[in-house]
Amino acid sequence: MGITNIFSGYTGEELLSIFTMQGFSSLSLFSVFLLMALGLAIIFGQMKIINMAHGEFLTAGAYTTVIMSDMVVKYMPGLLPYYFIFAIIAAFIVAFALGYIVELSLVRFLYKRPLDTLLATWGVSMILQQGFRLVFGGREDSANLPDWLMGSWYPTETIAIPLNGLFLLGTSVVVTLLVYFLLFRSRWGLCVRATVLNREMSNAVGINSKRIDRLTFAFGCGIAGVAGAVFTTIGSVSPAAGSLYIVDTFIVVVFGGAGSLLGTIFSAFGIAQLQSIMEFFLTGVLAKVFVLLSVVGILMIRPQGLRSNKVRE
Amino acid sequence: MISVNKLNVAYGQSAIIHDISLQAEEKEIVAVMGKNGMGKTTLMKSLIGLLRPVSGSIELDGVDVTAWESYQRVAQGIAYVPQGRQIFSQLTVEENILTGLDPKSPQKIQLFEEVYAMFNVLYDMRKRKGGNLSGGQQQQLAIARALVSEPKVLLLDEPTEGIQPSIIKDIARLLNEIKETKNLAIIVTEQVLSFTVDIADRMFVIESGRFQHEDVRGSINEEKIKAFLSV
Ligand SMILES: Nc1ncnc2c1ncn2[C@@H]1O[C@H](COP(=O)(O)OP(=O)(O)OP(=O)(O)O)[C@@H](O)[C@H]1O
Ligand SMILES: [Mg+2]
C-alpha cells in the first residue's frame, strides 16, 4: 500500500479536518510523553541512569487519582468538579515519596554501575506492577471526571477538539514551565546544574550532591505521577498502564538529545504528532513502525539527537 | 585551627603522600612548595575530602573530620580553590558565587557585597558565563566562591599558575588582607617562590610526597628552596 493510496477517498477539506483533529488529539499523547520524558530526562541528566520503573510512577499517580475520585464520589460528591486539581498534587506527592524510597533503598547504591541500575530499576518496575495487581486487582479502573473535562470544542463544523485534551495540554505546559523555573531559579536547580557540570567540585564548594541526587530522582518520579493523574482523563488505569509508555518515553528522550529540556519538548511533540496522524491511516502497529523508522533515520543523520548540550571545556 | 597528623594518601596501590603533618593557625599562611608531580594536589584533595587518606587524621578546631564528606568539611569551615580554578563554566558568575553560599546563612547579602567589593571585575561581569572569563578573572571567581562559604581555613592549589606577574602581586596582597580581616588560616601550594616568600609565615618543601624542608618567616633559606624547585 503506497503512501498516496491511503489518502485517496478523502476530499481535500476532509483531509484538513482529519489532520487538525488528529493533530489535536495527538496533543494528549504529546502531553503524556512530555511529562514522562521530562522526568526521565532530568534523572538521566543528573545521574546518568535510566529509570526503567518510570512508567510505574505514572501508574502510581493514576491510581492515586482513581482513589481520590472514588472517595470524592462516596463521601463528598459536591467536590467532584474541583477534586481533580488536588488529585494532581496528591499524585505528585505519592510518586515523589515512592521515588524517594526507591532511591534511598536501592538506586543510590548503584550509581557507579549504570548497567546494574537498568536491571535493578527494571526489577523495581516488575515489583511495583505486581504490587498494583495485588492491591487493585487486574481489571481496569477509571476516575470519575468532572463535567468540565467532558465534551468538545467546535471551532468549525467539521473540527471537534476534546476538552480533556486541552486540559492535559495545559497541565503539561504549566508543569514544564514550573520545571524550567525550578531548574533556573531555585537552589535545587542551581545545585543540579552545578553537579551536572562538575560533581567533584560541587561537593568541594559545599553541595551535598547525594542529597541532590535523591531529590532529583524523587522529583522526576513526581512528574511521572502528574502524568499519571492527567492520564486518567484519556485512558483507564491498569497495573501495566505505565509500562506501555516507557519505550515511547525512552525514544522521546534519546531523540530529543538527552539532557536538553528544549530538545525533549520538540521530540515529544514530533513523535506524538507523527504517531497519531499515522494511526488514523494505518493500524497502530504500522504507525509505530513508521515512527520508529523515522526516528532511526533522523538519528543516523544526527546521532546526538535533536538538540544536545554544547558543553565547552 | 587545622591540624594534619601523619597523613598517608594513595591512589589504589600507589602511595603518594607519606606521613605528612602540618598545622596552620588563625592569621597564618602556610606555603607548601614543590615541583610538578610531587603530591601537592593530592595533599589538597585529601584535605578537602575528595580523596580518602589511607591513614592519619585531619582535625579542624579539635574536631576530627578525616571521615567526613567534602560538603560537611565546607560547612565546618574549610574552603578549597582548586588547581585550574574549576569554576562552573556554563553557570553565570553570580551563580558560581551562589554555589558556595550556604542558603541558610543569615549574612548572604553582605557576603555577596563583600566579594563584589573585593573583586570589582566580578560585579561587572556577574551575568556572564564563567567559562567566558579570562584565566585571571576565573581565579578571582574561584576565590570568591570559596570565601562566601565563610571559611576558617582556605586551601589554594597553585593560585598563580598561568597568571601574569602584576596579577600575582594582586593575589599576594589579597591573601594577606583576607587572612587579617577574616582571621583565616591559609594553606597554599606553589612553585613560584617569589610569590610565597612575600606572604608565607611558614614554608614547607614537598618532594615525592614527603616534607623535606621547613622554614619560618624571616629565616627563609631561598637558595636551598630554589635548589629543591629546580628541575
Ligand atoms: N588519579 C590518579 N591516579 C593515579 N596517580 C595519580 C593520580 N593523580 C595523580 N597521580 C600521581 O600522583 C603524583 C602526585 O600528583 P599531584 O597531582 O598531587 O602532583 P602536584 O604536585 O600537584 O603536581 P603539579 O605541580 O603538576 O600540579 C604524581 O606522580 C601523579 O602521577
Ligand atoms: Mg597539582
Side-chain angles (χ1 to χ4, degrees):
Chain A
M1 183 163 60
I3 280 289
T4 43
N5 281 349
I6 55 175
F7 293 146
S8 65
Y10 299 96
T11 69
E13 199 177 330
E14 276 171 342
L15 272 179
L16 190 69
S17 293
I18 289 167
F19 272 105
T20 319
M21 272 157 47
Q22 283 302 108
F24 269 100
S25 91
S26 78
L27 285 182
S28 310
L29 198 59
F30 161 65
S31 307
V32 176
F33 279 179
L34 179 59
L35 290 174
M36 288 289 283
L38 271 183
L40 204 67
I42 289 173
I43 292 173
F44 182 79
Q46 165 79 4
M47 291 151 290
K48 299 287 170 284
I49 59 158
I50 303 284
N51 177 20
M52 292 293 283
H54 207 64
E56 276 56 51
F57 293 94
L58 178 147
T59 316
Y63 274 122
T64 307
T65 311
V66 169
I67 291 172
M68 279 193 72
S69 141
D70 288 350
M71 291 208 316
V72 166
V73 168
K74 211 165 173 185
Y75 302 109
M76 308 164 268
L79 287 184
L80 196 57
Y82 317 108
Y83 89 94
F84 206 80
I85 305 295
F86 298 102
I88 292 177
I89 296 168
F92 177 84
I93 294 172
V94 168
F96 183 97
L98 202 58
Y100 196 92
I101 295 168
V102 168
E103 205 279 351
L104 191 67
S105 57
L106 180 73
V107 176
R108 70 175 163 137
F109 301 109
L110 301 170
Y111 284 137
K112 299 220 169 71
R113 296 178 282 168
L115 220 54
D116 295 1
T117 343
L118 215 60
L119 275 177
T121 51
W122 189 44
V124 169
S125 137
M126 291 194 289
I127 293 169
L128 286 176
Q129 265 189 50
Q130 286 306 324
F132 294 140
R133 201 157 278 136
L134 278 176
V135 178
F136 302 102
R139 73 196 165 80
E140 302 207 332
D141 281 316
S142 50
N144 297 285
L145 296 184
D147 287 340
W148 54 267
L149 275 177
M150 319 268 218
S152 296
W153 171 54
Y154 295 91
T156 75
E157 252 168 52
T158 47
I159 296 177
I161 293 165
L163 291 176
N164 56 1
L166 281 178
F167 176 75
L168 240 166
L169 182 65
T171 310
S172 65
V173 168
V174 169
V175 171
T176 308
L177 291 177
L178 210 66
V179 169
Y180 251 105
F181 179 81
L182 285 174
L183 266 179
F184 289 95
R185 287 284 174 275
S186 76
R187 174 78 194 172
W188 167 76
L190 181 69
C191 293
V192 166
R193 288 180 296 139
T195 326
V196 169
L197 288 169
N198 189 337
R199 179 172 287 264
E200 221 184 35
M201 204 50 225
S202 299
N203 281 315
V205 296
I207 295 171
N208 181 354
S209 64
K210 288 181 184 158
R211 189 174 146 266
I212 298 298
D213 287 348
R214 192 156 311 140
L215 288 177
T216 306
F217 192 89
F219 183 67
C221 296
I223 299 177
V226 172
V230 290
F231 171 78
T232 60
T233 65
I234 56 166
S236 52
V237 191
S238 65
S243 64
L244 302 177
Y245 282 92
I246 185 71
V247 174
D248 287 322
T249 307
F250 188 63
I251 294 170
V252 167
V253 171
V254 172
F255 186 51
S260 157
L261 226 49
L262 217 57
T264 305
I265 295 171
F266 286 139
S267 156
F269 185 76
I271 291 179
Q273 288 291 341
L274 196 60
Q275 178 150 333
S276 164
I277 288 177
M278 290 331 285
E279 251 170 26
F280 188 85
F281 299 104
L282 308 165
T283 64
V285 176
L286 268 183
K288 187 135 275 171
V289 169
F290 188 82
V291 170
L292 272 177
L293 281 180
S294 316
V295 168
V296 168
I298 293 176
L299 280 181
M300 277 162 79
I301 303 165
R302 279 185 68 84
Q304 72 276 43
L306 285 181
R307 274 176 60 98
S308 57
N309 275 343
K310 299 172 269 344
V311 180
R312 199 186 40 170
E313 289 307 319
Chain B
M1 178 85 32
I2 187 167
S3 160
V4 179
N5 302 303
K6 291 211 173 260
L7 203 66
N8 284 277
V9 188
Y11 295 104
Q13 293 297 312
S14 81
I16 303 292
I17 297 291
H18 306 277
D19 286 329
I20 278 190
S21 300
L22 85 125
Q23 273 85 36
E25 298 302 328
E26 224 171 79
K27 299 194 185 187
E28 186 179 35
I29 298 183
V30 174
V32 176
M33 310 296 297
K35 286 185 292 198
N36 291 128
M38 289 305 166
K40 302 185 295 297
T41 299
T42 308
L43 174 64
M44 287 304 208
K45 281 192 171 173
S46 58
L47 295 185
I48 190 63
L50 295 176
L51 291 172
R52 282 286 119 85
V54 178
S55 64
S57 70
I58 301 160
E59 284 177 17
L60 185 67
D61 282 335
V63 181
D64 189 336
V65 300
T66 319
W68 289 21
E69 302 269 354
S70 298
Y71 75 90
Q72 296 171 308
R73 299 187 196 201
V74 175
Q76 189 75 11
I78 307 183
Y80 174 54
V81 179
Q83 185 171 16
R85 355 299 174 198
Q86 305 211 21
I87 49 127
F88 301 110
S89 56
Q90 301 282 322
L91 302 189
T92 65
V93 167
E94 193 167 78
E95 287 171 334
N96 265 280
I97 299 174
L98 268 174
T99 58
L101 201 60
D102 178 356
K104 291 190 280 293
S105 164
Q107 345 201 27
K108 280 200 309 203
I109 296 169
Q110 281 135 278
L111 287 165
F112 239 100
E113 282 171 357
E114 237 172 62
V115 291
Y116 277 153
M118 217 177 280
F119 308 106
N120 292 315
V121 64
L122 296 185
Y123 181 76
D124 298 336
M125 301 196 157
R126 63 192 183 282
K127 296 290 174 205
R128 292 236 211 132
K129 290 259 165 76
N132 294 339
L133 267 54
S134 77
Q137 292 162 346
Q138 290 188 0
Q139 186 66 56
Q140 299 183 5
L141 179 55
I143 296 175
R145 180 179 65 180
L147 286 180
V148 291
S149 68
E150 298 181 90
K152 299 174 196 155
V153 178
L154 181 62
L155 310 173
L156 297 118
D157 195 359
E158 293 202 41
T160 67
E161 194 183 36
I163 287 178
Q164 73 192 53
S166 71
I167 303 207
I168 292 183
K169 286 240 158 34
D170 287 345
I171 295 180
R173 206 173 313 126
L174 177 86
L175 292 186
N176 263 327
E177 184 192 316
I178 56 179
K179 104 172 164 181
E180 289 298 331
T181 56
K182 306 217 153 244
N183 299 326
L184 282 180
I186 299 179
I187 300 178
V188 54
T189 67
E190 260 309 332
Q191 304 197 42
V192 180
L193 188 57
S194 59
F195 170 70
T196 41
V197 156
D198 286 345
I199 59 170
D201 297 297
R202 269 182 310 132
M203 194 177 283
F204 293 94
V205 174
I206 190 171
E207 202 150 73
S208 302
R210 284 177 219 277
F211 282 170
Q212 300 287 14
H213 180 78
E214 179 180 358
D215 274 337
V216 292
R217 176 172 231 140
S219 64
I220 288 178
N221 185 342
E222 286 193 43
E223 289 312 310
K224 186 157 183 203
I225 294 176
K226 270 194 190 131
F228 274 116
L229 293 176
S230 63
V231 187

